[in-house]
Amino acid sequence: MVRFQKLTMILLAVSAFFIWQCASAPHPYLTPESQAIHDQFDSTSVHFNRYLMAGTDYATPLFHFKGKVAGAKVLIIGGTHGNEPAGYEAAHRLLKILSETPISEGEVFILPTANRLAGLAFERRIKVPGGVNHEMGNLNRCYPGNSHGLPMEQLAFQITGLIKEFAIDAVVDFHESPVFHLEYMENSGQYHGLGQTLIYTPNDAGSWIAMVLLDEMNSTIPDGFQQFSLAAGPVRHSAAWSAGEFFDIPGFTTETCKKLPLETRIAYQLQMVRIILREAGIS
Ligand SMILES: [Zn+2]
């Protein structure tokens, strides 16, 4: 009897340990480097501007960096899709870079973890009520948004509101794709992945920056699938599309390929955004 009780106790202890392990297992959200930046850049940061979706489960912080000289204003969005980590990783790294090396001219707004709940779940979109188009949980299909809609429509509406309020001059939305664009280019009729592309609004400013970016990116990348391509015309109801459609400003969807190591993708995202900031007049 005593032996049986001992065995039961051991089994219970082992089960409890495994349950505890599952509950406390780190979620694949941020790398330790970005987590440290995330912890530092909370609502007490001097660069904190406001929460979008304030007071809800979807609340997400906006940060603001301002040079001494007035100039162009650029909005950068990370974490639109929760399973595209290079985007929200690069957005966090950029917070650190801009706080350590302040800009002298212009303004940069950063929303590092736009769809925060999708990031926590490592999902492209969040769930929507039964019978509703699942893309209504995909922030990048909800622009220009709806103040009375589902949460992602409301968030898109508030991001659109920022563009109006601050008279934003360019929008950058970080994304990733599972496959290289060039790998599938020749197989017409097959899925054309968008890994390693810059999708841009085909307005004058957007086209110009896209061409400069492509030349500069590819000048340092050996021939092969890692080379970047341009794609004109962002998908309807995306952040970049909305920028061109409703504000006639350049909008960019920067796409890295998830087949590459994470740190390589983060570096590519940062390289792209720095070219866009520079060409937009931020220094
Ligand atoms: Zn995406």
Side-chain angles (χ1 to χ4, degrees), residues 35 55 59 93 142 190:
Q35 186 63 52
R93 312 291 171 97
C142 290
Q190 283 200 14

Side-chain angles (χ1 to χ4, degrees), residues 81 84 124 175-176 255:
H81 289 147
E84 298 171 12
R124 179 176 174 83
H175 284 264
E176 297 209 89
E255 297 261 5

Side-chain angles (χ1 to χ4, degrees), residues 11-51:
L11 281 173
L12 277 172
V14 168
S15 325
F17 176 76
F18 278 109
I19 290 165
W20 174 79
Q21 278 273 299
C22 290
S24 65
H27 212 277
Y29 191 27
L30 296 174
T31 58
E33 184 176 345
S34 287
Q35 186 63 52
I37 299 167
H38 188 268
D39 295 342
Q40 183 193 343
F41 281 83
D42 58 13
S43 58
T44 64
S45 160
V46 294
H47 297 292
F48 174 78
N49 181 272
R50 71 185 70 177
Y51 281 108

Side-chain angles (χ1 to χ4, degrees), residues 29 58 60 78-82 113-120 123-126 137-139 152 155:
Y29 191 27
Y58 311 93
T60 186
T80 287
H81 289 147
T113 50
N115 190 348
R116 201 177 52 84
L117 293 189
L120 285 167
E123 297 280 355
R124 179 176 174 83
R125 50 178 93 77
I126 54 169
N138 177 352
L139 174 59
M152 287 307 105
L155 178 55

